[in-house]
Amino acid sequence: MQQLGFGQPMGTIAQTAFIVPDLMAAIAHWTADMHAGPFFVLPHLLAPGQTYRGLESRADVTLAMGFAGHMMIELIQPLDTNPSVYRETIQLRGHGFHHFGIAVEDVDAASADYQARGYHEAYRASVPTGGEVVYLDNGDGAATGFIELLPVNPAMDATFTRFWEASRDWDGSDPARPFA
């Protein structure tokens, strides 16, 4: 099984994500209490061509990614009230766990495989490192968490590996850094 540059095997959980009401407060919590980080912040990810439950979506989020060991932690702060997988979860059960990200080579093939097992696409959007992510729902996504298919390509692996390398022997300084 191929391994990503940050140590996780392909086809397995590479990311654990949480919806937060205040990104900077969440970064402070994760760095101080869980010793995860540093976190790389991507402000206003309003990707064109988003779809939510089959309809066009205009969800705007700010997110941050950091590492705890080899596990990527993603913190997501919704910035609007537009319909989205984020708002759906907040309305049902509030902030907290949102999804597990599975690293895959072919998002469309993996999505088809999950759909054959009863899942359906809840959300799809392009990402800055190339390709599209797909959030899958088995009917309980907002209640128990979604699955996100992460498109593994050289740019994604290099970006996430850079974040992981920054976490190794990190001294706690500069906990929130630019994504790029």
Side-chain angles (χ1 to χ4, degrees), residues 7 12 26 35 49 74 88 93 112 116 138 166 169:
T12 66
H35 306 286
E74 181 179 34
E88 183 179 335
R93 60 180 169 81
N138 65 357
D169 300 320

Side-chain angles (χ1 to χ4, degrees), residues 1 13 19 22 30 35 49 66 73 78 87 96 107 121-122 148-150 152 155 157 159 161 165 176-177:
M1 183 178 287
I13 297 172
I19 300 173
D22 180 323
W30 277 86
H35 306 286
I73 305 299
R87 284 286 159 209
V107 168
E121 288 191 11
E148 178 186 22
L149 301 176
L150 302 168
V152 175
D157 195 24
T159 299
T161 299
E165 287 172 346
R177 302 174 182 190

Side-chain angles (χ1 to χ4, degrees), residues 4 6 16 41 46 50 74 87 89 123 127 131 144 152 166 174 180:
L4 298 165
F6 55 93
T16 305
V41 178
L46 180 56
Q50 297 177 51
E74 181 179 34
R87 284 286 159 209
T89 300
Y123 178 73
V127 291
T144 61
V152 175
D174 195 18

Side-chain angles (χ1 to χ4, degrees), residues 3 20 40 73 77 83 86 109 119-120 124 130-131 138 145 149 158 176 179:
Q3 185 169 311
V20 300
F40 293 83
I73 305 299
Q77 178 184 343
Y86 313 110
Y119 285 80
H120 60 275
R124 181 181 280 259
N138 65 357
L149 301 176
F179 192 88

